[in-house]
Amino acid sequence: MTPKKVKQMLFGLVLVVVLGVGGILRSGAIENPTTGGSTMGTGYSVKISGRINKKMLKALNLRIKQELAEVNRQMSTWDPESEISRFNHSGSLDGFQCSEAFAKVVRRALELSGQSGGAFDPTLQPLLNLWGFGSEADESKVPTDAEVAAAKARTGWEKLRVDADSRLWKTDPELSLALGAIAKGYGVDAVGAILKEFGLEDWFVEIGGEVLAHGVNPDGVPWRIGIQLPTTNPMDMSLQGIVHVDHGAIATSGDYRNYMEEDGIVYSHILDPRTGRAVRSDTASVTVSAPDCMDADGLATALFVMGADDGIAWVETLDGVETMFLVRDPNGKISERFSSGFKAATGYTPAQ
């Protein structure tokens, strides 16, 4: 067998800002400024409605860059000196002292693991590397059953705990973390906290398509965010629909921007922790509305693994959380499935 392997990385955002914001210099102030850059292996953007003093904007941009650099220093597996990398490569079963922020993210990840019945798991680094989606992967390939079983034996959220002093404890020396399914959401929340600290009321933050918005856009209405039509063409920015957000987060997980194809079969980068294998289902994407982006980010991944029936049933038990599944039929046609309050919570409208 000569397998054909194709890996499609993240070229575009799962979520697209529908209404752009331009900066105009007026009397020493910037009106409706936009800033951004690179972080966490993707891009970030911050948009502010109204005028802001140039000196204040410069200080704000510096704080944001410093905060995002700190999140990378704590939780990026691509940085061999980061906290997460040092924890991953330590075979010690003693408590690993980490920052409060890192401990907070791991603690919430473990909570989501338990609440989802293991559909979410922050200890998947060995499996991600095996499939070719991790930071230490050698190649993209569909592994054998034996390889999956061996890597899966080195995972398991139950083998990890976080104590009140921000120490991580693992019961397996080979246990290692990957927080890509929740850390971007934390980073978005951290930037949002800085904007609030600076006294700003109308703003939008996005990292790699995960969004937190507050207040109104320059037109005086809630921020409008497009949900992409699932497609493997990175240049196709067609929208499935639009949500409207003035307080809260939106995050989407999908199978169409990071995947592998072998022998005509597409394997998503989203792995099911319960099987150790790439999720292969009729779910094309899951969008989550939640009060904060860390939860929205983690929940979107867990729900993708669970599927529409179990996922929507779980969401109906969660306060302040709503979801939309985009489901693909055998002919590739996309249909929508909603939790009971998604449309009311987001003002969702189909794209024209």
Side-chain angles (χ1 to χ4, degrees):
M1 179 180 71
T2 305
K4 176 184 178 182
K5 300 184 179 73
V6 178
K7 188 174 181 183
Q8 177 79 41
M9 296 306 292
L10 183 65
F11 287 101
L13 302 180
V14 177
L15 295 164
V16 181
V17 183
V18 177
L19 181 62
V21 181
I24 302 173
L25 183 63
R26 290 188 178 177
S27 303
I30 305 293
E31 186 170 357
N32 304 327
T34 297
T35 187
S38 299
T39 189
M40 303 185 193
T42 184
Y44 78 92
S45 63
V46 178
K47 303 174 187 296
I48 301 168
S49 292
R51 297 184 185 182
I52 181 171
N53 178 275
K54 286 193 295 182
K55 184 176 180 180
M56 179 179 173
L57 182 60
K58 182 178 180 180
L60 175 64
N61 288 338
L62 179 60
R63 278 289 307 280
I64 290 172
K65 289 180 180 179
Q66 290 173 335
E67 181 66 26
L68 292 177
E70 180 65 5
V71 174
N72 273 283
R73 187 198 66 78
Q74 295 161 344
M75 304 179 223
S76 173
T77 58
W78 299 89
D79 178 357
E81 300 301 321
S82 68
E83 289 185 27
I84 193 171
S85 292
R86 289 188 288 112
F87 173 78
N88 286 353
H89 294 127
S90 170
S92 173
L93 300 182
D94 295 333
F96 177 89
Q97 187 64 58
C98 65
S99 62
E100 290 184 12
F102 185 17
K104 176 182 178 179
V105 173
V106 174
R107 188 176 292 112
R108 185 56 182 141
L110 293 178
E111 290 173 351
L112 289 174
S113 298
Q115 293 167 3
S116 67
F120 187 90
D121 192 331
T123 71
L124 293 187
Q125 181 73 344
L127 282 165
L128 290 168
N129 288 335
L130 176 66
W131 281 84
F133 298 118
S135 56
E136 298 171 319
D138 293 326
E139 61 175 331
S140 298
K141 65 173 184 176
V142 178
T144 66
D145 290 345
E147 290 172 328
V148 170
K152 189 173 182 297
R154 304 199 307 274
T155 70
W157 64 272
E158 306 98 329
K159 301 176 183 178
L160 177 69
R161 68 180 178 91
V162 187
D163 68 21
D165 296 317
S166 299
R167 289 177 298 187
L168 308 184
W169 300 79
K170 53 184 172 182
T171 59
D172 183 338
E174 294 188 312
L175 194 76
S176 55
L177 296 170
L179 297 176
I182 195 170
K184 289 197 302 295
Y186 170 80
V188 170
D189 290 335
V191 173
I194 292 172
L195 292 164
K196 290 180 179 179
E197 180 185 320
F198 272 67
L200 300 169
E201 297 182 353
D202 302 302
W203 46 262
F204 166 101
V205 180
E206 168 269 325
I207 298 178
E210 320 296 21
V211 170
L212 183 69
H214 193 273
V216 296
N217 67 17
D219 289 336
V221 298
W223 297 89
R224 296 186 295 164
I225 303 161
I227 309 299
Q228 276 193 293
L229 177 70
T231 172
T232 57
N233 181 357
M235 304 308 294
D236 186 348
M237 305 301 281
S238 300
L239 299 181
Q240 177 73 24
I242 301 169
V243 295
H244 306 77
V245 182
D246 60 7
H247 64 286
I250 297 288
T252 294
S253 287
D255 67 354
Y256 52 93
R257 281 292 182 267
N258 190 1
Y259 63 90
M260 172 176 61
E261 182 177 351
E262 186 170 302
D263 292 338
I265 300 174
V266 174
Y267 298 88
S268 166
H269 74 288
I270 302 175
L271 305 183
D272 186 335
R274 302 165 298 185
T275 66
R277 294 196 165 275
V279 176
R280 294 188 62 220
S281 70
D282 61 358
T283 301
S285 73
V286 181
T287 295
V288 174
S289 167
D292 64 80
C293 203
M294 180 168 65
D295 272 8
D297 194 7
L299 284 166
T301 298
L303 292 169
F304 189 98
V305 172
M306 295 172 76
D309 289 340
D310 291 343
I312 291 174
W314 180 36
V315 167
E316 298 292 3
T317 71
L318 304 177
D319 292 336
V321 177
E322 301 293 346
T323 189
M324 176 182 72
F325 279 74
L326 296 184
V327 179
R328 188 185 292 114
D329 73 12
N331 297 318
K333 183 180 179 181
I334 298 294
S335 60
E336 302 167 339
R337 292 190 61 183
F338 302 95
S339 60
S340 59
F342 184 84
K343 291 182 180 180
T346 66
Y348 177 79
T349 54
Q352 300 300 319

